[in-house]
Amino acid sequence: MRNTKLKDLRNDWKDSRFFFGKNKVMAVALGRTKSDEVEDQLNLLSKRLKGQCGLLMTNRDVPDVLEWFKSYTATEYARAGFVATRDVILPQGPLEDFSHTIEPHLRRLGLPTSLEKGVIHLIKEYQVCKKDAVLTPEQASILKLLGIQMAQFKVVIKCHWTKGKGFHKDLDVPSDDEEDNDKDALEDEPMEDDNDDDDDDET
């Protein structure tokens, strides 16, 4: 995850706590099974700690949390492997926004440049990327140098747990064989309505 974006999130949620660490460690802390979970149904939450994810602990109301993250988005620089959202073409001529010292670096990235009287010039028109094509590391670096942001940073709430009410899945993204296990567990442990908001939540 991007550190700068996480810092922005933490500033917006100063009354809450974000935890990002090893998924297995966080899962053990919550409890991986019914027999070792800290609170009822927390093992269902720990089973969804897969891939790039984290925990948000907050006293804010569940509907408010879900709505905030549903509408939250921030632009950022695309990395290698990202699919370009548009064509980017540089015309032949001077690149006056760049210092002459960066010209060798631009050539290493594949740009057809030359240095004329201390000013970087493109020898010919150059297409940095094509729409719907996967970006290479070099293309991603060029776009960042140009200040072009194509990617969107979002946080998706997969599920939440509320004290006294239990586990609730907000996004249907099963991991491994957890779907069947959760179905059985939820049948055994009915949950209360999420609309009450007096208790601490983990999202």
Side-chain angles (χ1 to χ4, degrees):
M1 294 187 181
R2 304 293 177 92
N3 288 334
T4 54
K5 301 302 179 183
L6 294 180
K7 288 179 181 178
D8 293 340
L9 277 180
R10 286 191 168 100
N11 287 332
D12 290 334
W13 289 76
K14 290 181 178 179
D15 59 345
S16 307
R17 291 289 301 274
F18 285 95
F19 292 89
F20 299 97
K22 292 185 177 181
N23 292 336
K24 290 184 178 179
V25 174
M26 292 191 292
V28 169
L30 296 175
R32 304 179 71 174
T33 65
K34 287 186 63 175
S35 62
D36 63 9
E37 62 187 3
V38 179
E39 296 277 357
D40 288 344
Q41 297 190 356
L42 269 180
N43 79 91
L44 302 180
L45 188 69
S46 69
K47 286 183 173 66
R48 282 172 170 73
L49 293 173
K50 308 286 185 180
Q52 195 175 68
C53 64
L55 293 172
L56 166 64
M57 296 189 180
T58 182
N59 286 323
R60 298 192 194 184
D61 298 344
V62 170
D64 293 341
V65 175
L66 297 177
E67 183 60 31
W68 194 95
F69 281 101
K70 182 179 179 181
S71 60
Y72 172 77
T73 183
T75 58
E76 64 177 354
Y77 294 109
R79 293 181 176 181
F82 180 83
V83 177
T85 57
R86 63 186 176 95
D87 292 339
V88 175
I89 300 175
L90 299 179
Q92 178 182 353
L95 297 175
E96 297 178 346
D97 292 335
F98 293 109
S99 167
H100 68 279
T101 59
I102 202 175
E103 195 270 336
H105 179 58
L106 295 178
R107 277 192 282 111
R108 285 194 295 269
L109 292 175
L111 272 70
T113 59
S114 64
L115 198 59
E116 301 177 17
K117 297 182 180 180
V119 178
I120 301 174
H121 281 70
L122 271 181
I123 300 172
K124 59 182 179 180
E125 182 181 274
Y126 182 79
Q127 182 159 24
V128 178
C129 62
K130 294 181 180 180
K131 184 179 179 180
D132 298 327
V134 176
L135 294 178
T136 65
E138 292 77 16
Q139 289 172 320
S141 295
I142 294 171
L143 291 174
K144 187 172 183 178
L145 289 171
L146 293 170
I148 298 175
Q149 296 182 324
M150 286 189 178
Q152 295 288 325
F153 177 83
K154 288 184 66 67
V155 175
V156 178
I157 304 298
K158 296 169 62 177
C159 57
H160 69 268
W161 179 92
T162 309
K163 188 173 183 179
K165 302 169 189 176
F167 173 86
H168 180 79
K169 183 163 61 175
D170 299 297
L171 185 66
D172 191 15
V173 184
S175 299
D176 301 331
D177 58 352
E178 65 188 7
E179 187 175 24
D180 293 335
N181 295 335
D182 293 349
K183 183 178 180 180
D184 294 339
L186 288 172
E187 288 176 353
D188 295 336
E189 302 179 52
M191 295 178 296
E192 299 179 19
D193 188 8
D194 282 327
N195 292 328
D196 297 332
D197 48 35
D198 293 330
D199 299 315
D200 289 354
D201 303 327
E202 293 183 11
T203 305

